[in-house]
Amino acid sequence: MPQTAAAVSPQTVQADADADAAAALPSFGIALGQPLYYWPRETVMQFYASVADAPVDRVYLGETVCTRRHEVRHAQWLEIARMLRDAGKEVVLSTPVLVESDTDIAWMRRACAQHDYLVEANDLGAVRCMAGRPFIGGPHLNVYHADTLAWLAGLGAVGCVAPVEMDARTLGALASARPAATRIEAFVWGRMPLAFSARCFTARHHRLRKDSCEFRCMDYPDGLVAATGEGQGFFTLNGVQTQSATCLDLCGETLAMARMGVDMLRISPHSGGTLEVVQQLAAIRAGRQAPAPSGITPAGAQRCNGYWHGAAGIVWEARS
């Protein structure tokens, strides 16, 4: 007797179709940048306990803004790193951006001296400290063209984070001309890190000296917004760091970035909304959700496209 074909459920057909659609999508990794704000130790620990279960591929750890922030010390960052590595995450230890004091140098050297985790080098002193070992070039190395990227690759760079000021065309050109073994990472969500200064703006706001700041940064878990005379948020003060007041939201451009050769998309942690954005990127990557702006911003901030369209980075421009 002829055999009757087994019935296939509509759910199975839909699951197969979703799998085929996801396989046709360009792939990208999801990276979680290091926390840029000064959070209490318990908040940091709770946050990374949640990150362990999140669909994040790479996690950056360490203090990059101000080494006076001591709620989480180097040994505790290593404990978090081990926990996240056991959860299947790639862990990267980041070095300080503005290296001025002996304390800054010590933080940088501790990160570079260990061999268990990849290092994000955020200044050329850290690049030299790596002595040819593999590292990731941080966004503040200001790699704008392929010659600089090739030079860093010759010094050991296996990846590079694009500066936030880079527009889509320039980023595509950098990705297409990169050395074969070098991966490109780009920011997609969070307040944009713009500049660093020897002066602590948060301490100055409270009429305090930098060395006796009373750790006022902890009062602002998403930074202190500075407004223009007309009341428009213009910058965010975060100790010695200046950030955008608006929140970058390029979640709608994720597949476009992947098609141009960007390997990793970075989310910058904030006190709320971070893991929700991670879930949205994971859904886009899996084909369960069409690319679209996240619609999530920290602390009621306005959103912006950054410099993606080559326009002023503070504005939001909706494009189909």
Side-chain angles (χ1 to χ4, degrees), residues 186-209:
F187 279 84
V188 294
W189 187 86
R191 283 195 165 117
M192 294 180 288
L194 300 176
F196 286 79
S197 170
R199 174 174 290 172
C200 177
F201 298 110
T202 306
R204 183 178 176 85
H205 173 75
H206 289 281
R207 300 185 179 183
L208 297 168
R209 295 177 57 193

Side-chain angles (χ1 to χ4, degrees), residues 185-308:
E185 183 174 320
F187 279 84
V188 294
W189 187 86
R191 283 195 165 117
M192 294 180 288
L194 300 176
F196 286 79
S197 170
R199 174 174 290 172
C200 177
F201 298 110
T202 306
R204 183 178 176 85
H205 173 75
H206 289 281
R207 300 185 179 183
L208 297 168
R209 295 177 57 193
K210 179 180 178 181
D211 293 338
S212 55
C213 65
E214 301 177 2
F215 305 105
R216 290 298 183 91
C217 284
M218 197 174 286
D219 297 336
Y220 308 101
D222 289 305
L224 172 62
V225 176
T228 64
E230 292 74 29
Q232 179 188 11
F234 191 59
F235 287 125
T236 297
L237 307 181
N238 179 35
V240 299
Q241 183 186 52
T242 303
Q243 301 174 315
S244 63
T246 50
C247 176
L248 178 69
D249 189 346
L250 293 179
C251 295
E253 309 294 344
T254 51
L255 296 186
M257 287 184 175
R259 290 189 183 98
M260 68 173 57
V262 177
D263 304 283
M264 302 289 295
L265 305 184
R266 179 183 287 205
I267 294 170
S268 186
H270 289 73
S271 63
T274 304
L275 298 183
E276 288 81 357
V277 177
V278 168
Q279 294 292 345
Q280 289 191 24
L281 289 191
I284 293 171
R285 179 172 62 181
R288 299 191 306 270
Q289 177 178 321
S294 72
I296 299 171
T297 60
Q302 299 295 313
R303 60 181 175 174
C304 70
N305 306 109
Y307 302 90
W308 181 255

Side-chain angles (χ1 to χ4, degrees), residues 52-75:
D53 297 323
V56 172
D57 304 296
R58 174 184 289 173
V59 183
Y60 292 83
L61 299 176
E63 180 56 57
T64 61
V65 175
C66 177
T67 56
R68 282 179 53 78
R69 300 175 176 179
H70 57 274
E71 280 287 299
V72 182
R73 299 183 182 275
H74 182 72

Side-chain angles (χ1 to χ4, degrees), residues 8 13 113 128 146 257:
V8 179
V13 173
R128 181 179 181 182
M257 287 184 175

Side-chain angles (χ1 to χ4, degrees), residues 24-44:
L25 293 174
S27 180
F28 58 84
I30 300 174
L32 186 66
Q34 63 276 61
L36 300 178
Y37 306 104
Y38 194 23
W39 294 343
R41 180 183 301 122
E42 184 174 349
T43 300
V44 174

